[in-house]
């Protein structure tokens, strides 16, 4: 099928022996694929698919594009990941918007997942649909057996991989940072991701899934909230607030307030009488508002004020967007209380090594706010230390790459023969061991 992408295809696939595993970090936001033992993934792209049709207008340009991508006018093409917006004007996207294979953080649309894997293996350099390398792929915490079973079916029956291993992305990131001295064997991994946020306790270097907590709040909700506020504030620019632009604004300008209420009062003290110009004109009695006026420099400005900290505040107060669940700081306390062992010394060790990983922990002030929030719910004098991962975005893939390259890695996989002989019962009892 024809793919449209700006990502270059790798040319050294044939140089890797068949024993070298392929490592995949299958995140709800981004898909990362590369070779075990390397420090960085070879290919990174957004984990979305769009399938528009060629337009019948602008025949000369469309015919040129069709010839470049081996397509015909009216034929459906597959756009995976990032794309060039200027190129999309030659395609009809009204009936096919961007689609994701995820429901929250669980893969459930495996038809879309197949497009993603096709594109990932193709850009890695694979020829044909047969993949003769072991695969290590990440998944969410406590992934449903059905989702893991369908992923195994896809990898074994469609691509013919010899063996598969599943591991939790946040756990790989925690272990990677532990080996670099950032956190300890006993601690908490807090992962605010794209759709969800997880807290995973670690005891003796292994995750304790009985103590895990999850809320359905993440970076997606922060971006969506900022997009709504800007669209209400600047309705004339609503069409320009694309998801990619709002995402860039969020990462460049948003921050976590030390205290939300005090930060709001501070903005009110700076300019308590501030009213947007358009609202001030509309509020006058008896004055006639002109139907049109010359555009000024103010019409092309976007001022970010309280939105800078109000939007990421949803990570600590999900009620702001109508989600009645616990915030990140409360989740840490709930996770500790869920542990089967009630040991005061163990709890102190856990709060002394709290690692934040995932793209939504990059906001300035995140660690300080989380430490202050956890201190309020723990006994007085409890040692609390919150640190950020070396690279919150890539550490999960790097940790998985290091494990896949280890000598003990083949013992953590299940083969195609195991899959066909034992089926779902084998998958149900599968558990990845993170201590090498």
């Amino acid at each position: 099928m024809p793919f449209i992408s700006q990502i270059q295809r790798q040319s050294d696939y044939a140089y890797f022996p068949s024993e070298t595993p392929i490592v995949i970090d299958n995140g709800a936001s981004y898909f990362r694929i590369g070779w075990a033992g390397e420090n960085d993934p070879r290919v990174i792209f957004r984990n979305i698919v769009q399938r528009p049709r060629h337009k019948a207008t602008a025949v000369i340009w469309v015919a040129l594009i069709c010839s470049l991508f081996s397509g015909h006018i009216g034929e459906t093409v597959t756009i995976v990941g990032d794309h060039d917006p200027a190129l999309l004007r030659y395609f009809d996207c009204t009936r096919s918007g961007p689609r994701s294979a995820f429901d929250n953080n669980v893969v459930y649309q495996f038809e879309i997942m197949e497009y993603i894997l096709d594109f990932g293996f193709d850009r890695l350099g694979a020829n044909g649909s047969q993949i003769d390398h072991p695969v290590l792929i990440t998944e969410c915490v406590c992934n449903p057996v059905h989702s893991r079973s369908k992923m195994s079916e896809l990898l074994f029956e469609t691509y013919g991989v010899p063996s598969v291993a599943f591991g939790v992305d946040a756990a790989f990131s925690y272990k990677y940072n532990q080996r670099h001295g950032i956190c300890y064997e006993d601690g908490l991994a807090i992962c605010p991701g794209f759709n969800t946020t997880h807290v995973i306790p670690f005891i003796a270097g292994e995750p304790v899934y009985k103590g895990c907590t999850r809320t359905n709040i993440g970076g997606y909700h922060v971006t969506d909230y900022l997009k709504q506020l800007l669209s209400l504030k600047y309705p004339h620019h609503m069409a320009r607030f694309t998801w990619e632009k709002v995402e860039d604004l969020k990462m460049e300008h948003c921050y976590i307030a030390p205290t939300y209420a005090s930060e709001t009062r501070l903005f009110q003290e700076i300019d308590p009488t501030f009213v947007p110009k358009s609202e001030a004109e509309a509020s006058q009695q008896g004055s006639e508002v002109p139907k049109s006026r010359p555009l000024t420099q103010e019409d092309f400005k976007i001022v970010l004020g309280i939105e800078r900290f109000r939007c990421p505040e949803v990570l600590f107060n999900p009620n702001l967007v109508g989600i009645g669940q616990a915030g990140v700081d409360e989740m840490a306390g709930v996770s500790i209380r869920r542990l089967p062992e009630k040991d005061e010394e163990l709890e102190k060790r856990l709060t002394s090594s709290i690692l934040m990983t995932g793209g939504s922990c990059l906001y300035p002030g995140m660690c300080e706010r989380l430490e202050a929030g956890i201190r309020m719910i723990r006994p007085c004098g409890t040692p609390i230390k919150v640190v950020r991962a070396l690279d919150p975005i890539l550490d999960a893939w790097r940790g998985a790459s290091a494990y896949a390259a280890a000598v003990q890695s083949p013992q953590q996989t299940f083969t195609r023969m195991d899959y066909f002989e034992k089926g779902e019962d084998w998958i149900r009892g599968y558990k990845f061991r993170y201590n090498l």
Side-chain angles (χ1 to χ4, degrees), residues 89 204 246 249 274 279 283 310 314 328 341 349 407 415:
R89 64 186 177 187
V246 176
L249 290 173
F274 172 75
E279 294 182 13
S283 63
R310 183 179 182 180
V314 303
V328 180
E341 302 177 13
R349 293 198 301 271
V407 178
T415 65

Side-chain angles (χ1 to χ4, degrees), residues 41-182:
R42 293 293 189 93
V43 180
I44 302 175
F45 55 89
R46 286 186 65 195
N47 210 333
I48 55 174
V49 171
Q50 190 168 1
R51 304 200 69 212
R53 292 180 179 272
H54 293 298
K55 287 183 178 178
T57 57
V59 176
I60 296 177
W61 284 104
V62 173
L64 176 61
I65 295 171
C66 291
S67 64
L68 291 175
F69 296 104
S70 302
H72 303 281
I73 296 176
E75 180 184 355
T76 299
V77 297
T78 302
I79 303 176
V80 179
D82 300 307
H83 56 267
D84 184 1
L87 191 63
L88 285 185
R89 64 186 177 187
Y90 300 111
F91 300 94
D92 181 12
C93 301
T94 57
R95 297 184 180 181
S96 175
R99 300 175 61 193
S100 172
F102 287 81
D103 180 12
N104 286 329
N105 61 337
V106 176
V107 180
Y108 80 108
Q109 289 281 6
F110 285 91
E111 179 184 356
I112 300 176
M113 194 71 244
E114 186 173 352
Y115 285 123
I116 297 288
L117 290 172
D118 280 345
F119 182 75
F121 289 136
D122 177 78
R123 287 301 180 262
L124 192 62
N127 295 314
S129 61
Q130 188 72 17
I131 305 299
D132 56 353
H133 293 267
V135 171
L136 170 59
I137 186 170
T138 63
E139 62 181 9
C140 65
V141 182
C142 303
N143 192 33
V145 176
H146 174 73
S147 178
R148 182 185 289 177
S149 176
K150 297 293 289 185
M151 182 66 76
S152 302
E153 177 183 337
L154 181 62
L155 291 171
F156 283 127
E157 299 187 13
T158 303
Y159 299 101
V161 299
S163 62
V164 176
F166 294 95
V168 177
D169 48 4
F172 282 127
S173 179
Y174 188 91
K175 297 299 291 184
Y176 179 82
N177 284 271
Q178 180 190 332
R179 290 197 299 274
H180 287 80
I182 305 300

Side-chain angles (χ1 to χ4, degrees), residues 25 32 39-41 44 173 176 391-399:
D25 181 13
R32 304 172 183 89
N39 194 49
D40 291 310
I44 302 175
S173 179
Y176 179 82
D391 189 335
I393 296 176
L394 291 180
D395 280 355
W397 188 92
R398 289 169 177 163

